[in-house]
Amino acid sequence: QVQLVESGGGLVQAGGSLRLSCAASRSIFSLNNMGWYRQAPGNQRELVATITRLGSRNYASSVKGRFTISRDNTKNIMYMQMNSLEPEDTAVYYCTAETYSGGDTIIHWGQGTQVTVSS
């Protein structure tokens, strides 16, 4: 099991930057996939970015080139640097981590952090 706590959200003007953090309650060294999702009002939750234990990254096309996901296995924290923010990036952002139990994959979620981008 792992508990996740996001921080770093807030209000920013279009073109600005924010860095989100996701602190884990235990070592993340052995966790494979970690990621960020977001959900805007009236929309479905969507995948933003993922990172594997070895550092392989994937991004949604809408954020590629603007967002960077990273993880510090020594501090048990995952980050997402968000640059050139757009009003369309406004959403609640959630971090996730996968664990495995008895052959099943369990996805753990944080409580979310609000990001609001004004035009």
Side-chain angles (χ1 to χ4, degrees):
Q1 296 296 321
V2 58
Q3 282 75 49
L4 304 170
V5 178
E6 303 96 335
S7 61
L11 173 64
V12 64
Q13 288 188 332
S17 298
L18 285 173
R19 188 177 79 158
L20 304 183
S21 299
C22 173
S25 61
R26 49 154 278 194
S27 171
I28 65 171
F29 179 79
S30 62
L31 296 180
N32 191 17
N33 292 328
M34 299 185 71
W36 290 95
Y37 285 73
R38 68 185 181 186
Q39 186 168 22
N43 290 359
Q44 290 187 333
R45 194 169 295 188
E46 64 174 349
L47 178 64
V48 179
T50 61
I51 185 168
T52 68
R53 182 170 60 88
L54 298 180
S56 179
R57 299 168 172 86
N58 280 292
Y59 298 94
S61 57
S62 59
V63 307
K64 196 173 294 185
R66 299 188 298 121
F67 291 10
T68 302
I69 189 172
S70 62
R71 58 193 284 174
D72 187 333
N73 291 338
T74 65
K75 296 181 178 178
N76 303 325
I77 300 178
M78 178 179 63
Y79 302 98
M80 187 158 70
Q81 178 66 41
M82 305 187 297
N83 298 329
S84 302
L85 284 162
E86 303 168 352
E88 293 73 23
D89 296 317
T90 295
V92 177
Y93 284 72
Y94 300 89
C95 69
T96 63
E98 292 182 358
T99 61
Y100 306 101
S101 177
D104 294 328
T105 299
I106 302 171
I107 300 177
H108 305 268
W109 294 82
Q111 83 289 349
T113 185
Q114 176 71 47
V115 171
T116 303
V117 184
S118 63
S119 57

